[in-house]
Amino acid sequence: LVGERPDIRADYVINEGASERLKLADGRTVVTINVGEKATLPALVTALGRAAHASTPLAGANAVPRLATLIGRLASHRPPRRLLPETRALLEELVGEVDGDLDGAIDRAQRLHPAFAELVAPLFSTTIAPTRLRGSDARNVMPARASVECDCRVVPGTTEDELASELAAALGPSPVNTDGDLL
């Protein structure tokens, strides 16, 4: 909007991710504001196998179960948390000094309001959400390739290389079966 209408200026903008008035467990009332956005970096994770007809499941190396393993790894992965100046200010306002115990401060903040249980922790790290799946277009074909698109949201300052390293950490080693097929 600012690019198209330079005549419009604002010191602050409230968008759909903010402006809720919340009563905290300790009696304080807060109004949420959004001071920035996490960037989105999509990722495609592909499992490889060997195609075969579904009537002979032992003849191939179905990529779908292999992809399921990788999706499980993505879902259970917890990226390291990072404290940025903006998120430090949030925690200090909600729970006081962080004192080197970031996890403890986040936990205390989350207990202040039911909505915080889902909203606070993602502010401190990359999130990786498997969203769209692709495999065989035919029900009777075990695919040689199966993929999942991931919606990755990264904290400000995160590079694509850092996300690639985080995905590698989440997926773990790439095991190879006895046929040399990548799992």
Side-chain angles (χ1 to χ4, degrees):
L1 179 64
V2 173
E4 295 296 319
R5 293 285 311 271
D7 57 308
I8 298 175
R9 296 281 182 235
D11 292 329
Y12 302 96
V13 175
I14 296 177
N15 71 4
E16 77 279 0
S19 74
E20 289 189 59
R21 185 179 183 89
L22 304 174
K23 183 82 165 174
L24 302 183
D26 62 9
R28 293 180 292 164
T29 299
V30 297
V31 177
T32 60
I33 62 168
N34 187 342
V35 298
E37 295 284 335
K38 290 171 79 174
T40 181
L41 288 173
L44 181 67
V45 175
T46 300
L48 304 176
R50 193 172 59 253
H53 194 278
S55 66
T56 57
L58 299 179
N62 191 342
V64 171
R66 293 173 177 196
L67 181 62
T69 298
L70 297 176
I71 291 171
R73 291 177 186 174
L74 290 170
S76 65
H77 181 69
R78 297 296 171 254
R81 292 174 167 170
R82 292 176 37 199
L83 189 61
L84 300 176
E86 296 83 0
T87 52
R88 176 183 290 281
L90 167 74
L91 286 179
E92 288 177 350
E93 190 63 35
L94 291 175
V95 299
E97 193 66 35
V98 175
D99 292 331
D101 182 13
L102 179 56
D103 291 336
I106 291 170
D107 185 57
R108 289 191 306 279
Q110 288 178 309
R111 289 192 304 248
L112 288 171
H113 192 276
F116 288 177
E118 294 178 357
L119 299 176
V120 172
L123 300 175
F124 295 86
S125 65
T126 294
T127 57
I128 302 167
T131 55
R132 269 198 291 204
L133 300 170
R134 289 190 190 101
S136 175
D137 289 330
R139 182 178 45 85
N140 64 340
V141 174
M142 296 185 315
R145 300 174 67 88
S147 300
V148 62
E149 286 184 62
C150 297
D151 182 81
C152 304
R153 303 294 170 118
V154 297
V155 295
T158 302
T159 66
E160 286 186 48
D161 288 342
E162 289 170 327
L163 176 60
S165 294
E166 195 59 49
L167 287 166
L171 294 169
S174 297
V176 176
N177 70 15
T178 55
D179 296 328
D181 292 323
L182 181 66
L183 295 177

PDB file of all heavy atoms in Angstrom, residues 46-74:
ATOM      1  N   THR A  46      11.598 -34.901  -1.053  1.00  0.00           N
ATOM      2  CA  THR A  46      11.246 -36.014  -1.932  1.00  0.00           C
ATOM      3  C   THR A  46      11.910 -37.294  -1.458  1.00  0.00           C
ATOM      4  O   THR A  46      13.113 -37.315  -1.183  1.00  0.00           O
ATOM      5  CB  THR A  46      11.680 -35.716  -3.381  1.00  0.00           C
ATOM      6  OG1 THR A  46      11.004 -34.529  -3.811  1.00  0.00           O
ATOM      7  CG2 THR A  46      11.331 -36.861  -4.317  1.00  0.00           C
ATOM      8  N   ALA A  47      11.123 -38.344  -1.361  1.00  0.00           N
ATOM      9  CA  ALA A  47      11.639 -39.679  -1.049  1.00  0.00           C
ATOM     10  C   ALA A  47      11.717 -40.457  -2.358  1.00  0.00           C
ATOM     11  O   ALA A  47      10.827 -40.361  -3.207  1.00  0.00           O
ATOM     12  CB  ALA A  47      10.715 -40.391  -0.068  1.00  0.00           C
ATOM     13  N   LEU A  48      12.781 -41.210  -2.510  1.00  0.00           N
ATOM     14  CA  LEU A  48      12.986 -42.002  -3.718  1.00  0.00           C
ATOM     15  C   LEU A  48      12.842 -43.480  -3.420  1.00  0.00           C
ATOM     16  O   LEU A  48      13.154 -43.940  -2.326  1.00  0.00           O
ATOM     17  CB  LEU A  48      14.376 -41.728  -4.291  1.00  0.00           C
ATOM     18  CG  LEU A  48      14.709 -40.272  -4.596  1.00  0.00           C
ATOM     19  CD1 LEU A  48      16.155 -40.144  -5.062  1.00  0.00           C
ATOM     20  CD2 LEU A  48      13.753 -39.703  -5.621  1.00  0.00           C
ATOM     21  N   GLY A  49      12.386 -44.219  -4.419  1.00  0.00           N
ATOM     22  CA  GLY A  49      12.247 -45.666  -4.300  1.00  0.00           C
ATOM     23  C   GLY A  49      12.353 -46.289  -5.680  1.00  0.00           C
ATOM     24  O   GLY A  49      13.108 -45.810  -6.514  1.00  0.00           O
ATOM     25  N   ARG A  50      11.591 -47.331  -5.898  1.00  0.00           N
ATOM     26  CA  ARG A  50      11.550 -47.987  -7.205  1.00  0.00           C
ATOM     27  C   ARG A  50      10.093 -48.332  -7.487  1.00  0.00           C
ATOM     28  O   ARG A  50       9.432 -48.984  -6.688  1.00  0.00           O
ATOM     29  CB  ARG A  50      12.429 -49.242  -7.189  1.00  0.00           C
ATOM     30  CG  ARG A  50      12.709 -49.813  -8.563  1.00  0.00           C
ATOM     31  CD  ARG A  50      13.752 -50.946  -8.526  1.00  0.00           C
ATOM     32  NE  ARG A  50      13.342 -52.046  -7.671  1.00  0.00           N
ATOM     33  CZ  ARG A  50      13.870 -52.323  -6.480  1.00  0.00           C
ATOM     34  NH1 ARG A  50      14.838 -51.583  -5.980  1.00  0.00           N
ATOM     35  NH2 ARG A  50      13.435 -53.343  -5.776  1.00  0.00           N
ATOM     36  N   ALA A  51       9.609 -47.866  -8.621  1.00  0.00           N
ATOM     37  CA  ALA A  51       8.198 -48.069  -8.970  1.00  0.00           C
ATOM     38  C   ALA A  51       7.887 -49.543  -9.190  1.00  0.00           C
ATOM     39  O   ALA A  51       8.746 -50.320  -9.622  1.00  0.00           O
ATOM     40  CB  ALA A  51       7.849 -47.277 -10.231  1.00  0.00           C
ATOM     41  N   ALA A  52       6.662 -49.892  -8.886  1.00  0.00           N
ATOM     42  CA  ALA A  52       6.183 -51.257  -9.127  1.00  0.00           C
ATOM     43  C   ALA A  52       4.662 -51.225  -9.129  1.00  0.00           C
ATOM     44  O   ALA A  52       4.041 -50.259  -8.667  1.00  0.00           O
ATOM     45  CB  ALA A  52       6.689 -52.217  -8.061  1.00  0.00           C
ATOM     46  N   HIS A  53       4.077 -52.299  -9.634  1.00  0.00           N
ATOM     47  CA  HIS A  53       2.626 -52.426  -9.602  1.00  0.00           C
ATOM     48  C   HIS A  53       2.212 -52.753  -8.171  1.00  0.00           C
ATOM     49  O   HIS A  53       2.877 -53.520  -7.474  1.00  0.00           O
ATOM     50  CB  HIS A  53       2.163 -53.527 -10.571  1.00  0.00           C
ATOM     51  CG  HIS A  53       0.704 -53.483 -10.835  1.00  0.00           C
ATOM     52  ND1 HIS A  53      -0.217 -54.041  -9.973  1.00  0.00           N
ATOM     53  CD2 HIS A  53       0.003 -52.932 -11.858  1.00  0.00           C
ATOM     54  CE1 HIS A  53      -1.429 -53.835 -10.448  1.00  0.00           C
ATOM     55  NE2 HIS A  53      -1.322 -53.166 -11.602  1.00  0.00           N
ATOM     56  N   ALA A  54       1.108 -52.194  -7.742  1.00  0.00           N
ATOM     57  CA  ALA A  54       0.660 -52.389  -6.365  1.00  0.00           C
ATOM     58  C   ALA A  54       0.295 -53.835  -6.054  1.00  0.00           C
ATOM     59  O   ALA A  54       0.282 -54.238  -4.890  1.00  0.00           O
ATOM     60  CB  ALA A  54      -0.527 -51.471  -6.078  1.00  0.00           C
ATOM     61  N   SER A  55       0.017 -54.633  -7.097  1.00  0.00           N
ATOM     62  CA  SER A  55      -0.318 -56.034  -6.859  1.00  0.00           C
ATOM     63  C   SER A  55       0.899 -56.859  -6.480  1.00  0.00           C
ATOM     64  O   SER A  55       0.769 -57.980  -6.005  1.00  0.00           O
ATOM     65  CB  SER A  55      -0.984 -56.632  -8.104  1.00  0.00           C
ATOM     66  OG  SER A  55      -0.052 -56.685  -9.169  1.00  0.00           O
ATOM     67  N   THR A  56       2.100 -56.283  -6.679  1.00  0.00           N
ATOM     68  CA  THR A  56       3.344 -56.978  -6.310  1.00  0.00           C
ATOM     69  C   THR A  56       4.198 -56.043  -5.445  1.00  0.00           C
ATOM     70  O   THR A  56       5.260 -55.586  -5.850  1.00  0.00           O
ATOM     71  CB  THR A  56       4.124 -57.397  -7.569  1.00  0.00           C
ATOM     72  OG1 THR A  56       4.380 -56.231  -8.361  1.00  0.00           O
ATOM     73  CG2 THR A  56       3.362 -58.429  -8.381  1.00  0.00           C
ATOM     74  N   PRO A  57       3.747 -55.769  -4.242  1.00  0.00           N
ATOM     75  CA  PRO A  57       4.418 -54.770  -3.413  1.00  0.00           C
ATOM     76  C   PRO A  57       5.865 -55.096  -3.056  1.00  0.00           C
ATOM     77  O   PRO A  57       6.649 -54.195  -2.784  1.00  0.00           O
ATOM     78  CB  PRO A  57       3.547 -54.679  -2.163  1.00  0.00           C
ATOM     79  CG  PRO A  57       2.691 -55.887  -2.178  1.00  0.00           C
ATOM     80  CD  PRO A  57       2.580 -56.345  -3.592  1.00  0.00           C
ATOM     81  N   LEU A  58       6.249 -56.360  -3.108  1.00  0.00           N
ATOM     82  CA  LEU A  58       7.633 -56.703  -2.784  1.00  0.00           C
ATOM     83  C   LEU A  58       8.567 -56.511  -3.974  1.00  0.00           C
ATOM     84  O   LEU A  58       9.782 -56.566  -3.820  1.00  0.00           O
ATOM     85  CB  LEU A  58       7.713 -58.147  -2.276  1.00  0.00           C
ATOM     86  CG  LEU A  58       6.909 -58.419  -0.998  1.00  0.00           C
ATOM     87  CD1 LEU A  58       7.035 -59.894  -0.603  1.00  0.00           C
ATOM     88  CD2 LEU A  58       7.363 -57.519   0.133  1.00  0.00           C
ATOM     89  N   ALA A  59       8.010 -56.249  -5.141  1.00  0.00           N
ATOM     90  CA  ALA A  59       8.834 -56.077  -6.339  1.00  0.00           C
ATOM     91  C   ALA A  59       9.463 -54.695  -6.421  1.00  0.00           C
ATOM     92  O   ALA A  59      10.447 -54.498  -7.117  1.00  0.00           O
ATOM     93  CB  ALA A  59       7.991 -56.328  -7.590  1.00  0.00           C
ATOM     94  N   GLY A  60       8.926 -53.726  -5.730  1.00  0.00           N
ATOM     95  CA  GLY A  60       9.443 -52.365  -5.819  1.00  0.00           C
ATOM     96  C   GLY A  60       9.927 -51.871  -4.481  1.00  0.00           C
ATOM     97  O   GLY A  60      10.131 -52.637  -3.543  1.00  0.00           O
ATOM     98  N   ALA A  61      10.149 -50.607  -4.426  1.00  0.00           N
ATOM     99  CA  ALA A  61      10.517 -49.934  -3.185  1.00  0.00           C
ATOM    100  C   ALA A  61       9.653 -48.680  -3.114  1.00  0.00           C
ATOM    101  O   ALA A  61      10.055 -47.606  -3.578  1.00  0.00           O
ATOM    102  CB  ALA A  61      11.999 -49.599  -3.180  1.00  0.00           C
ATOM    103  N   ASN A  62       8.444 -48.835  -2.620  1.00  0.00           N
ATOM    104  CA  ASN A  62       7.438 -47.784  -2.597  1.00  0.00           C
ATOM    105  C   ASN A  62       7.964 -46.538  -1.882  1.00  0.00           C
ATOM    106  O   ASN A  62       8.346 -46.582  -0.713  1.00  0.00           O
ATOM    107  CB  ASN A  62       6.187 -48.316  -1.900  1.00  0.00           C
ATOM    108  CG  ASN A  62       5.000 -47.420  -2.045  1.00  0.00           C
ATOM    109  OD1 ASN A  62       5.116 -46.251  -2.372  1.00  0.00           O
ATOM    110  ND2 ASN A  62       3.822 -47.976  -1.775  1.00  0.00           N
ATOM    111  N   ALA A  63       7.958 -45.411  -2.584  1.00  0.00           N
ATOM    112  CA  ALA A  63       8.453 -44.163  -2.006  1.00  0.00           C
ATOM    113  C   ALA A  63       7.500 -43.574  -0.979  1.00  0.00           C
ATOM    114  O   ALA A  63       7.916 -42.776  -0.140  1.00  0.00           O
ATOM    115  CB  ALA A  63       8.702 -43.150  -3.119  1.00  0.00           C
ATOM    116  N   VAL A  64       6.227 -43.968  -0.991  1.00  0.00           N
ATOM    117  CA  VAL A  64       5.245 -43.377  -0.082  1.00  0.00           C
ATOM    118  C   VAL A  64       5.553 -43.691   1.388  1.00  0.00           C
ATOM    119  O   VAL A  64       5.591 -42.775   2.221  1.00  0.00           O
ATOM    120  CB  VAL A  64       3.808 -43.781  -0.478  1.00  0.00           C
ATOM    121  CG1 VAL A  64       2.804 -43.352   0.578  1.00  0.00           C
ATOM    122  CG2 VAL A  64       3.455 -43.182  -1.831  1.00  0.00           C
ATOM    123  N   PRO A  65       5.778 -44.953   1.774  1.00  0.00           N
ATOM    124  CA  PRO A  65       6.133 -45.203   3.175  1.00  0.00           C
ATOM    125  C   PRO A  65       7.448 -44.527   3.573  1.00  0.00           C
ATOM    126  O   PRO A  65       7.601 -44.094   4.715  1.00  0.00           O
ATOM    127  CB  PRO A  65       6.257 -46.730   3.267  1.00  0.00           C
ATOM    128  CG  PRO A  65       5.495 -47.255   2.107  1.00  0.00           C
ATOM    129  CD  PRO A  65       5.587 -46.210   1.038  1.00  0.00           C
ATOM    130  N   ARG A  66       8.362 -44.428   2.639  1.00  0.00           N
ATOM    131  CA  ARG A  66       9.627 -43.736   2.920  1.00  0.00           C
ATOM    132  C   ARG A  66       9.365 -42.264   3.199  1.00  0.00           C
ATOM    133  O   ARG A  66       9.951 -41.674   4.104  1.00  0.00           O
ATOM    134  CB  ARG A  66      10.584 -43.910   1.751  1.00  0.00           C
ATOM    135  CG  ARG A  66      11.027 -45.339   1.587  1.00  0.00           C
ATOM    136  CD  ARG A  66      11.840 -45.539   0.346  1.00  0.00           C
ATOM    137  NE  ARG A  66      12.291 -46.927   0.286  1.00  0.00           N
ATOM    138  CZ  ARG A  66      13.249 -47.344  -0.493  1.00  0.00           C
ATOM    139  NH1 ARG A  66      13.861 -46.510  -1.299  1.00  0.00           N
ATOM    140  NH2 ARG A  66      13.601 -48.612  -0.487  1.00  0.00           N
ATOM    141  N   LEU A  67       8.471 -41.662   2.412  1.00  0.00           N
ATOM    142  CA  LEU A  67       8.113 -40.271   2.641  1.00  0.00           C
ATOM    143  C   LEU A  67       7.428 -40.120   3.995  1.00  0.00           C
ATOM    144  O   LEU A  67       7.669 -39.142   4.712  1.00  0.00           O
ATOM    145  CB  LEU A  67       7.209 -39.754   1.519  1.00  0.00           C
ATOM    146  CG  LEU A  67       6.784 -38.293   1.655  1.00  0.00           C
ATOM    147  CD1 LEU A  67       8.003 -37.365   1.610  1.00  0.00           C
ATOM    148  CD2 LEU A  67       5.786 -37.931   0.574  1.00  0.00           C
ATOM    149  N   ALA A  68       6.595 -41.079   4.361  1.00  0.00           N
ATOM    150  CA  ALA A  68       5.916 -41.025   5.659  1.00  0.00           C
ATOM    151  C   ALA A  68       6.937 -40.962   6.793  1.00  0.00           C
ATOM    152  O   ALA A  68       6.754 -40.219   7.767  1.00  0.00           O
ATOM    153  CB  ALA A  68       4.992 -42.227   5.825  1.00  0.00           C
ATOM    154  N   THR A  69       8.031 -41.705   6.664  1.00  0.00           N
ATOM    155  CA  THR A  69       9.096 -41.664   7.671  1.00  0.00           C
ATOM    156  C   THR A  69       9.693 -40.271   7.753  1.00  0.00           C
ATOM    157  O   THR A  69       9.912 -39.734   8.844  1.00  0.00           O
ATOM    158  CB  THR A  69      10.186 -42.704   7.335  1.00  0.00           C
ATOM    159  OG1 THR A  69       9.603 -44.000   7.373  1.00  0.00           O
ATOM    160  CG2 THR A  69      11.343 -42.629   8.306  1.00  0.00           C
ATOM    161  N   LEU A  70       9.955 -39.684   6.581  1.00  0.00           N
ATOM    162  CA  LEU A  70      10.535 -38.342   6.566  1.00  0.00           C
ATOM    163  C   LEU A  70       9.569 -37.306   7.134  1.00  0.00           C
ATOM    164  O   LEU A  70       9.983 -36.400   7.864  1.00  0.00           O
ATOM    165  CB  LEU A  70      10.957 -37.969   5.142  1.00  0.00           C
ATOM    166  CG  LEU A  70      12.047 -38.842   4.529  1.00  0.00           C
ATOM    167  CD1 LEU A  70      12.313 -38.430   3.087  1.00  0.00           C
ATOM    168  CD2 LEU A  70      13.320 -38.798   5.358  1.00  0.00           C
ATOM    169  N   ILE A  71       8.289 -37.439   6.823  1.00  0.00           N
ATOM    170  CA  ILE A  71       7.294 -36.513   7.363  1.00  0.00           C
ATOM    171  C   ILE A  71       7.239 -36.643   8.881  1.00  0.00           C
ATOM    172  O   ILE A  71       7.135 -35.648   9.596  1.00  0.00           O
ATOM    173  CB  ILE A  71       5.913 -36.751   6.725  1.00  0.00           C
ATOM    174  CG1 ILE A  71       5.938 -36.328   5.252  1.00  0.00           C
ATOM    175  CG2 ILE A  71       4.818 -35.994   7.484  1.00  0.00           C
ATOM    176  CD1 ILE A  71       4.697 -36.723   4.474  1.00  0.00           C
ATOM    177  N   GLY A  72       7.329 -37.847   9.382  1.00  0.00           N
ATOM    178  CA  GLY A  72       7.373 -38.056  10.831  1.00  0.00           C
ATOM    179  C   GLY A  72       8.558 -37.357  11.465  1.00  0.00           C
ATOM    180  O   GLY A  72       8.440 -36.754  12.535  1.00  0.00           O
ATOM    181  N   ARG A  73       9.701 -37.420  10.811  1.00  0.00           N
ATOM    182  CA  ARG A  73      10.890 -36.725  11.323  1.00  0.00           C
ATOM    183  C   ARG A  73      10.671 -35.218  11.324  1.00  0.00           C
ATOM    184  O   ARG A  73      11.052 -34.523  12.279  1.00  0.00           O
ATOM    185  CB  ARG A  73      12.112 -37.085  10.487  1.00  0.00           C
ATOM    186  CG  ARG A  73      12.561 -38.516  10.654  1.00  0.00           C
ATOM    187  CD  ARG A  73      13.727 -38.806   9.740  1.00  0.00           C
ATOM    188  NE  ARG A  73      14.088 -40.215   9.774  1.00  0.00           N
ATOM    189  CZ  ARG A  73      14.990 -40.758   8.980  1.00  0.00           C
ATOM    190  NH1 ARG A  73      15.630 -40.019   8.086  1.00  0.00           N
ATOM    191  NH2 ARG A  73      15.260 -42.047   9.075  1.00  0.00           N
ATOM    192  N   LEU A  74      10.085 -34.692  10.252  1.00  0.00           N
ATOM    193  CA  LEU A  74       9.812 -33.254  10.184  1.00  0.00           C
ATOM    194  C   LEU A  74       8.850 -32.836  11.293  1.00  0.00           C
ATOM    195  O   LEU A  74       9.044 -31.807  11.942  1.00  0.00           O
ATOM    196  CB  LEU A  74       9.216 -32.879   8.824  1.00  0.00           C
ATOM    197  CG  LEU A  74      10.142 -32.955   7.619  1.00  0.00           C
ATOM    198  CD1 LEU A  74       9.344 -32.802   6.329  1.00  0.00           C
ATOM    199  CD2 LEU A  74      11.240 -31.906   7.703  1.00  0.00           C
TER     200      LEU A  74
END
